[in-house]
Amino acid sequence: MARQQRERGQRVQAIPLGGLGEIGKNCMAIQEGDHILVVDCGLSFPEEEMLGIDIVIPDFTYLLENRDKVRGLVLTHGHEDHIGAVPYLVRQLEVPVYATRLTLGLVEGKLAEAGLKLPPGSRAVKAGDTVKVGPFAVEFIRVTHSIPDSCALAIRTGAGVIVHTGDFKFDQTPVDGEFADYQRLAELGREGVLALLADSTNAERPGYTPSERVVGKNLDEIFRLARGRILLATFASNVHRIQQAIDSAARWDRKVAVVGRSMENTVEVALKLGYLHVPDGILVDVEELRRFPAQNQVILTTGSQGEPMSALTRMSVNDHKSVEIMPGDTVVFAATPIPGNEKDVARTINNLYRRGAEVIYGREAGVHVSGHGSQEEQKMMINLLRPRFFMPIHGEYRMLVHHARLAQACGIPADSILLGENGTVFEFTPQTAAIAGKVASGQVLVDGLGVGDVGNIVLRDRRQLSQDGILIVVVAIDRETGVIVGGPDIVSRGFVYVRESEGLLEEARDRVKGTLYETLSRRVPEWAVLKSAVRDVLSKYLFEKTRRRPMILPIIMEV
């Protein structure tokens, strides 16, 4: 009995609720006995077929069903795909949040927008600190990424040390001078690491990821040569790139305005906490910027992914209240499109060219480098930590497979490498690792203020509406006599143009009327039966004539 209890106390589970086999909405539950530690809580952006959806967040069902076991939330860094869903979790599960200062500052801003505050017990930490969260001792270890204050986590459990890398690369010349803590990673490797949970994003890319300073040099050359106004679009949270743009602006006597709510929020928090350093007089309001000659203006803006409502996209179609694109402007896309956004980005670039701007974009321009390590850096992380077991995370499934192969090349046996999907329960003991089951997982769609109220059926209806339109049939029937006293009238939206399809709709109207008379003659009082009959006859007729299946919405009014 004592041995069984000891073995139970040496079991720990890693349960990805998001971020495994996909890009974004990273969320991991680490569970030991009756204690759960949550690592990251991010969002992702909707795929093309998710019509009308704003964002996608993890399914928190498992955490909510075990709310009494959740001890805290620790965050690796401040990118949306790692912190964007925090307000949605905190609203339902008030647990303390631990993160470095910039990350926690960004989270506070998000919570304030949602009318929430940081839960009691939350606190900022710095790289090198260790916090006690339930039975877990969580050590924050500095790594380099495209946002300051990024950390890997060494989580001490009864079974051993689990290292979660967060997002990382090994930048040898970081913009802020804060190097990854190679020494501490190597020390952990010597002490012994049970399992390494490692970022797989660039597992298909050989070599090393270039330093962020490469972008700074190229931006500086663009600032030197540009004769007119410069607009630079990048990820709102890329503080290092914003810093380098501000440095170049100061060097070439340009004033800087920030446009776009998310970037304005990031700049405000980074300035307040000392992560951005701006010479006096460089940062001005966009209205004030107009007072300076074009060759002395820089606008930092959102919209590097072609998002329809972003500042740059609206500027490109002359729909922004403060900024109008003019001939002579230079627009820099200091980011590469996230998979799925290529068409939106290309459309924005085309519109900018139509307005006479010069656009600098693409990998050849040298104005973007990844924040994730390539294969050689991933190998270095494995070799520094020398884990007993390896679990690739943070990436699409093919990236996880490539990362697993890299781990094998570094000497980790194939049977010590674990691959799975979101919801898979990965269980570790000091001697073993295995898949031990499955928990509820998936995605929750957020549309406006609605969280989870749009599911597959609603999306199916939206797709049908977008492809074939809708036909509304309105008829008034006397409940007492069963006589049609009005209609049927047919309204088409997104199906056919009424003036050019009068014959089609007239025939449809006659068929509806015939079906109604036939059904009513059988003394059928149920409106549901009448609606079903209308749908059936119309669907069959319209498909014969048009090979399309519009949504058919019968409306029966009692008089």
Side-chain angles (χ1 to χ4, degrees):
M1 178 66 76
R3 181 182 173 186
Q4 289 176 341
Q5 289 177 337
R6 187 166 60 252
E7 287 181 352
R8 275 201 301 270
Q10 291 184 325
R11 292 181 187 275
V12 63
Q13 296 174 334
I15 309 170
L17 302 176
L20 207 63
E22 62 183 355
I23 298 292
K25 68 182 183 69
N26 296 288
C27 186
M28 177 76 68
I30 305 294
Q31 182 164 358
E32 183 175 5
D34 290 334
H35 307 278
I36 295 175
L37 173 73
V38 184
V39 179
D40 288 336
C41 188
L43 57 77
S44 62
F45 294 102
E47 297 171 9
E48 193 172 345
E49 66 270 16
M50 295 180 181
L51 302 173
I53 299 304
D54 297 323
I55 60 171
V56 183
I57 63 174
D59 185 344
F60 298 129
T61 299
Y62 182 73
L63 298 179
L64 298 177
E65 288 176 349
N66 294 275
R67 60 173 60 246
D68 294 338
K69 300 178 182 179
V70 180
R71 303 293 175 246
L73 168 64
V74 291
L75 303 173
T76 58
H77 65 283
H79 279 155
E80 287 288 306
D81 58 334
H82 291 258
I83 68 168
V86 172
Y88 298 95
L89 179 63
V90 166
R91 193 185 296 278
Q92 302 175 80
L93 194 63
E94 198 174 38
V95 295
V97 181
Y98 306 91
T100 48
R101 278 200 313 148
L102 178 61
T103 306
L104 203 64
L106 294 171
V107 167
E108 281 187 283
K110 290 189 166 299
L111 291 173
E113 284 183 9
L116 302 168
K117 293 183 178 180
L118 279 172
S122 300
R123 67 183 179 92
V125 299
K126 61 182 185 296
D129 285 354
T130 297
V131 295
K132 190 78 171 166
V133 188
F136 306 100
V138 183
E139 181 183 352
F140 288 76
I141 304 164
R142 186 178 304 285
V143 293
T144 45
H145 188 42
S146 53
I147 186 171
D149 260 5
S150 296
C151 287
L153 306 173
I155 305 166
R156 297 186 183 277
T157 73
V161 176
I162 293 176
V163 175
H164 186 297
T165 67
D167 289 355
F168 79 95
K169 70 177 185 180
F170 289 130
D171 192 333
Q172 307 301 329
T173 55
V175 172
D176 58 3
E178 298 286 355
F179 296 88
D181 195 343
Y182 302 97
Q183 182 177 344
R184 184 60 189 137
L185 292 170
E187 287 173 356
L188 283 168
R190 285 192 292 272
E191 292 169 16
V193 172
L194 174 66
L196 171 59
L197 283 50
D199 173 18
S200 305
T201 307
N202 278 347
E204 299 167 292
R205 189 178 296 177
Y208 296 89
T209 300
S211 170
E212 179 66 28
R213 284 193 185 273
V214 172
V215 175
K217 291 178 182 177
N218 293 329
L219 286 180
D220 199 65
E221 188 66 7
I222 292 168
F223 278 54
R224 182 180 74 84
L225 295 174
R227 293 290 171 257
R229 183 173 57 173
I230 296 172
L231 295 91
L232 187 143
T234 189
F235 293 110
S237 56
N238 196 332
V239 176
H240 294 320
R241 200 156 297 166
I242 293 170
Q243 179 69 69
Q244 293 189 109
I246 289 171
D247 290 343
S248 290
R251 188 174 297 115
W252 299 107
D253 193 26
R254 290 177 180 265
K255 303 294 183 183
V256 179
V258 180
V259 177
R261 187 170 60 87
S262 56
M263 186 171 285
E264 290 169 14
N265 292 344
T266 300
V267 168
E268 182 182 351
V269 172
L271 279 171
K272 179 182 174 183
L273 297 177
Y275 290 89
L276 261 183
H277 306 284
V278 182
D280 291 340
I282 293 294
L283 214 53
V284 298
D285 185 82
V286 69
E287 302 295 333
E288 188 183 349
L289 190 69
R290 293 198 188 102
R291 297 194 295 106
F292 298 93
Q295 64 267 26
N296 297 117
Q297 297 182 27
V298 174
I299 294 174
L300 301 180
T301 183
T302 54
S304 64
Q305 297 303 306
E307 307 96 314
M309 297 307 293
S310 66
L312 184 61
T313 302
R314 298 180 70 171
M315 293 174 202
S316 73
V317 293
N318 201 24
D319 187 38
H320 194 276
K321 63 179 181 179
S322 302
V323 181
E324 181 180 347
I325 301 296
M326 299 177 291
D329 286 347
T330 297
V331 182
V332 183
F333 277 77
T336 54
I338 294 170
N341 292 348
E342 293 89 352
K343 288 183 180 179
D344 291 334
V345 172
R347 187 183 304 115
T348 302
I349 291 171
N350 286 331
N351 288 333
L352 289 166
Y353 272 120
R354 286 190 180 98
R355 303 208 165 274
E358 180 64 31
V359 188
I360 298 173
Y361 63 96
R363 207 175 291 277
E364 316 78 42
V367 290
H368 176 70
V369 296
S370 176
H372 301 266
S374 298
Q375 290 181 354
E376 296 307 313
E377 290 146 286
Q378 291 174 343
K379 291 177 189 175
M380 184 185 292
M381 180 67 82
I382 293 168
N383 288 326
L384 284 170
L385 290 166
R386 292 180 292 182
R388 186 180 192 95
F389 301 108
F390 180 73
M391 180 178 159
I393 59 173
H394 295 185
E396 296 181 21
Y397 198 82
R398 68 180 190 278
M399 300 171 186
L400 307 184
V401 171
H402 281 283
H403 205 176
R405 291 173 182 168
L406 288 179
Q408 285 188 61
C410 291
I412 297 180
D415 58 4
S416 296
I417 299 170
L418 298 179
L419 285 171
E421 305 277 0
N422 289 329
T424 303
V425 179
F426 299 91
E427 186 169 88
F428 301 94
T429 73
Q431 305 300 326
T432 63
I435 291 175
K438 190 91 171 167
V439 303
S441 67
Q443 55 191 20
V444 174
L445 309 180
V446 179
D447 185 359
L449 296 177
V451 180
D453 56 351
V454 175
N456 290 331
I457 293 174
V458 175
L459 284 179
R460 183 196 64 196
D461 288 347
R462 290 183 180 182
R463 280 194 291 273
Q464 186 179 0
L465 287 168
S466 71
Q467 291 165 2
D468 294 324
I470 185 171
L471 219 64
I472 303 171
V473 182
V474 184
V475 61
I477 298 177
D478 188 316
R479 166 67 94 168
E480 297 290 330
T481 63
V483 174
I484 298 173
V485 296
D489 295 323
I490 295 180
V491 180
S492 168
R493 290 291 182 270
F495 172 54
V496 291
Y497 183 45
V498 174
R499 289 184 182 178
E500 296 178 357
S501 306
E502 291 178 355
L504 177 75
L505 296 182
E506 188 61 40
E507 175 67 18
R509 194 176 292 110
D510 290 342
R511 295 203 177 205
V512 169
K513 190 179 293 185
T515 297
L516 288 171
Y517 278 134
E518 181 188 343
T519 310
L520 288 167
S521 69
R522 288 188 271 117
R523 302 289 182 185
V524 177
E526 291 297 329
W527 291 162
V529 176
L530 288 173
K531 289 180 180 180
S532 180
V534 169
R535 265 193 293 267
D536 289 345
V537 71
L538 263 187
S539 179
K540 183 178 179 182
Y541 168 68
L542 293 173
F543 186 73
E544 287 175 356
K545 293 294 184 181
T546 67
R547 284 295 183 266
R548 283 183 275 167
R549 297 188 187 277
M551 180 178 288
I552 297 168
L553 184 62
I555 299 175
I556 297 178
M557 304 168 62
E558 291 184 44
V559 294

